[in-house]
Amino acid sequence: MKTLLSGYDKSTQKLMLRVYITALPEDGRRQNHKKAHFAALDLLGAAMAEDFGVRHVVIHRVGLGKPKMIHDFLHMNISHCKGLAVAAIGMMPLGVDAEPTRRIPESLMRKVCAPEEIQQIQAEKDRDAAFSRFWTLKEAYAKYTGEGIGLDFSALRFSLNAARPLIFHHPDAANVCFIQQTGVSGCTVSLCYLGDTEIVIKENE
């Protein structure tokens, strides 16, 4: 288990959120979904106990909606992909997603990306890695809202430019914050959280 990032209230230095990761061993050609899911839940349990002193909660899910922790103040989200499990826990709604760099069909890119995003992806040397950056941001926001794949991903438009901070072109942009890390065990990890508190982020703490 490794800490990917931590967030502290700027004025009080109180821990507000933490994201843990763990590498998953190779398990044949395809990642065992159940094993990866339980690895992410193990991370979540460790985070709750170590960071917030909580040793028992109920996680509730209705249909295909976002799993929710039944707790007075804590929120959680997990993700897993080939090679990596991720768990995010915090004192505000959040969503996290992890994806490896992989070859993406052109049809999928055009379905989930806005024309401006496709231009940004096509301008990159590694287009597959660029797509993973957009995809994980959209997925993290969809998991933050709880709407998941029910959202129109092409309407969630981002600008990724090395010379400027990440920009979210959306009516909800003033309410949320995004953090993204690439090259995490060969994966891109994106976090979206409610930004009503000014938080100082410390990476790989």
Side-chain angles (χ1 to χ4, degrees), residues 111-130:
K111 181 178 180 180
V112 303
C113 292
E116 303 95 316
E117 293 175 326
I118 293 174
Q119 289 180 355
Q120 293 178 68
I121 292 170
Q122 292 176 338
E124 295 292 330
K125 184 176 180 180
D126 189 339
R127 295 183 180 183
D128 295 327

Side-chain angles (χ1 to χ4, degrees), residues 74-205:
L74 285 178
H75 301 263
M76 53 73 64
N77 199 225
I78 61 173
S79 183
H80 52 82
C81 60
K82 186 174 183 180
L84 191 69
V86 184
I89 186 167
M91 300 179 70
M92 74 290 286
L94 45 74
V96 69
D97 190 57
E99 291 290 338
T101 298
R102 55 185 173 177
R103 185 60 56 88
I104 299 298
E106 189 80 14
S107 58
L108 177 61
M109 183 188 303
R110 297 194 178 281
K111 181 178 180 180
V112 303
C113 292
E116 303 95 316
E117 293 175 326
I118 293 174
Q119 289 180 355
Q120 293 178 68
I121 292 170
Q122 292 176 338
E124 295 292 330
K125 184 176 180 180
D126 189 339
R127 295 183 180 183
D128 295 327
F131 176 82
S132 292
R133 294 192 64 195
F134 283 103
W135 174 264
T136 56
L137 289 168
K138 293 166 186 273
E139 183 76 15
Y141 179 75
K143 294 171 77 173
Y144 155 80
T145 67
E147 296 174 82
I149 58 174
L151 274 178
D152 177 6
F153 275 23
S154 65
L156 304 176
R157 189 165 58 88
F158 291 87
S159 293
L160 299 176
N161 189 312
R164 299 196 309 269
L166 181 156
I167 301 174
F168 185 31
H169 303 278
H170 191 275
D172 202 23
N175 302 317
V176 296
C177 296
F178 290 90
I179 301 170
Q180 185 175 77
Q181 286 198 21
T182 59
V184 183
S185 296
C187 303
T188 296
V189 179
S190 292
L191 174 73
C192 174
Y193 63 90
L194 181 65
D196 58 352
T197 301
E198 192 169 5
I199 293 178
V200 176
I201 297 295
K202 297 181 180 180
E203 298 181 354
N204 304 315
E205 188 178 49

Side-chain angles (χ1 to χ4, degrees), residues 20-24 35-41 43 79-87 98:
Y20 280 107
I21 58 172
T22 189
L24 298 175
K35 287 183 179 179
H37 182 74
F38 281 116
L41 288 177
L43 284 177
S79 183
H80 52 82
C81 60
K82 186 174 183 180
L84 191 69
V86 184

Side-chain angles (χ1 to χ4, degrees), residues 48-64:
M48 287 190 298
E50 184 171 328
D51 295 325
F52 298 98
V54 177
R55 300 190 179 276
H56 177 75
V57 296
V58 174
I59 297 175
H60 180 62
R61 182 173 188 166
V62 178
L64 297 176

